[in-house]
Amino acid sequence: NGQTTMWDAVPGWAAVIIFFVLISIVGLLEAMQIAFFAVAKFKKEDRGDHPIAKRTCELLFKNGGRNLPGFMVGRQVTVTLIFFVAARATTLNIKVGEDDNIFGVSDALQEFFNLGFLGAILTTILGSISWQLVASAFPIAFLSNPFVYFMLNFVLLIEATGICAASWFFGTIHKKIAGFQLDEVYVGTAEERAAGGKPDTSMHPGRDFSMGTNVLVAPSDWENAIKNLEPVPETFSQQRERILSNIKSMKEMMADAPEEEKSTFAAGIEAEVKFLQKLNEEEAAEGDASAPVKDIEAA
């Protein structure tokens, strides 16, 4: 409806297309960052056998590894420039008190939305987090995308223009002051870690451990990992306690409820009682030593 800060010369349908194209590019760059740092810790033979993935890794780790930080510089410049344009398509320009507020919100909330809050949420989800999640789970498959290789060349070209060359200077000063060294100095290369040749020592006795490259590939490993994240199932006692608490709460609410609503609470109580009886039967079938509750009215 022309109620964004997009330039007047750009029609609404074109603004939508431009927004999604730019957000896709930003998402790709965000995901590339995650995938690149993931494969940087892999052994060379573990970086996949897809031709595009190999070419991407060869370009990324050329020049003594300088292309990786070079990518970070060019990526940041590109993302910043894109957000300047994308923000015009997501920032609302609704005249409070004159135009209709979106979603029927109050004028105060509409003024807050006009600051670009909704656009920030939209770009964070569509142009950052969702892409990063995919890249972190499948870095090798992600690097096999031809667009990744193209964008890597593009951002390295942006960095080569020297538009942000000062970042290298300030980064060098920071490194000198803080005394930073490469990770390989402390934990070794990917090959050394995989072989267990350079264990990571701990300042606490008995807590030493070795860092190694570990890529889960077997489906059973993934299934077990996901299963470990599942909530611990309730015991019979915990389930019974929860059901009795529900029955007690519904009885208290039914006592103060109008006559036309009491039947609803009565139906809910009846359903909970049936579930409790079923739970007692399951417990008896498993031979649990604890005696099931039989006096429902005690709740």
Side-chain angles (χ1 to χ4, degrees), residues 106-291:
S106 63
D107 289 346
L109 188 56
Q110 182 59 61
E111 290 180 354
F112 178 66
F113 286 163
N114 284 353
L115 298 176
F117 177 70
L118 294 180
I121 294 179
L122 189 63
T123 52
T124 299
I125 296 174
L126 295 181
S128 180
I129 297 177
S130 58
W131 290 78
Q132 291 178 2
L133 290 174
V134 174
S136 63
F138 311 102
I140 302 299
F142 191 85
L143 295 185
S144 302
N145 188 335
F147 288 105
V148 171
Y149 182 72
F150 171 78
M151 288 305 301
L152 175 59
N153 281 274
F154 178 77
V155 297
L156 287 177
L157 178 62
I158 295 294
E159 188 273 333
T161 63
I163 190 172
C164 281
S167 59
W168 291 97
F169 172 71
F170 289 111
T172 302
I173 295 177
H174 189 187
K175 174 185 175 182
K176 292 291 185 181
I177 295 175
F180 289 137
Q181 298 189 72
L182 297 176
D183 289 346
E184 285 73 13
V185 175
Y186 303 100
V187 298
T189 63
E191 288 77 11
E192 290 171 335
R193 292 196 304 273
K198 295 204 62 172
D200 193 21
T201 56
S202 172
M203 62 183 292
H204 303 287
R207 297 186 183 180
D208 295 341
F209 63 94
S210 297
M211 291 186 64
T213 302
N214 182 26
V215 183
L216 299 177
V217 294
S220 58
D221 293 338
W222 287 108
E223 292 172 0
N224 292 333
I226 294 174
K227 188 175 181 180
N228 290 335
L229 298 176
E230 296 178 355
V232 179
E234 291 182 314
T235 63
F236 287 111
S237 298
Q238 291 173 333
Q239 294 182 65
R240 185 178 297 107
E241 183 178 354
R242 175 170 51 80
I243 295 172
L244 293 176
S245 177
N246 292 342
I247 294 175
K248 183 178 180 180
S249 299
M250 284 191 285
K251 283 186 176 181
E252 293 175 352
M253 289 186 290
M254 185 172 66
D256 299 329
E259 289 297 329
E260 60 271 16
E261 296 181 4
K262 287 187 177 182
S263 59
T264 303
F265 288 105
I269 293 174
E270 183 180 357
E272 291 288 349
V273 170
K274 290 181 179 179
F275 190 78
L276 180 59
Q277 293 173 344
K278 181 180 178 182
L279 180 66
N280 291 337
E281 293 173 359
E282 293 177 356
E283 184 178 13
E286 291 193 11
D288 197 313
S290 59

Side-chain angles (χ1 to χ4, degrees), residues 41-45 47 188-197 213:
K41 304 303 179 184
F42 289 179
K43 294 185 295 182
K44 188 173 182 180
E45 58 267 24
R47 293 171 183 167
T189 63
E191 288 77 11
E192 290 171 335
R193 292 196 304 273
T213 302

Side-chain angles (χ1 to χ4, degrees), residues 5-176:
T5 56
M6 180 60 76
W7 297 285
D8 296 335
V10 180
W13 61 268
V16 173
I17 295 176
I18 292 173
F19 169 75
F20 280 106
V21 170
L22 294 180
I23 286 300
S24 297
I25 295 175
V26 170
L28 186 66
L29 292 173
E30 293 285 342
M32 288 168 64
Q33 173 185 345
I34 300 298
F36 288 169
F37 278 100
V39 299
K41 304 303 179 184
F42 289 179
K43 294 185 295 182
K44 188 173 182 180
E45 58 267 24
D46 290 336
R47 293 171 183 167
D49 53 3
H50 193 281
I52 298 297
K54 285 185 175 181
R55 292 176 63 184
T56 301
C57 290
E58 289 174 0
L59 176 60
L60 184 64
F61 301 114
K62 279 179 65 175
N63 300 327
R66 187 186 182 280
N67 281 357
L68 178 56
F71 160 77
M72 296 299 297
V73 175
R75 183 204 73 88
Q76 192 60 51
V77 174
T78 307
V79 169
T80 302
L81 293 176
I82 287 177
F83 272 139
F84 273 112
V85 180
R88 285 190 166 271
T90 58
T91 302
L92 297 174
N93 188 25
I94 295 178
K95 298 179 180 179
V96 179
E98 299 180 15
D99 300 332
D100 293 334
N101 296 343
I102 63 170
F103 309 131
V105 299
S106 63
D107 289 346
L109 188 56
Q110 182 59 61
E111 290 180 354
F112 178 66
F113 286 163
N114 284 353
L115 298 176
F117 177 70
L118 294 180
I121 294 179
L122 189 63
T123 52
T124 299
I125 296 174
L126 295 181
S128 180
I129 297 177
S130 58
W131 290 78
Q132 291 178 2
L133 290 174
V134 174
S136 63
F138 311 102
I140 302 299
F142 191 85
L143 295 185
S144 302
N145 188 335
F147 288 105
V148 171
Y149 182 72
F150 171 78
M151 288 305 301
L152 175 59
N153 281 274
F154 178 77
V155 297
L156 287 177
L157 178 62
I158 295 294
E159 188 273 333
T161 63
I163 190 172
C164 281
S167 59
W168 291 97
F169 172 71
F170 289 111
T172 302
I173 295 177
H174 189 187
K175 174 185 175 182
K176 292 291 185 181

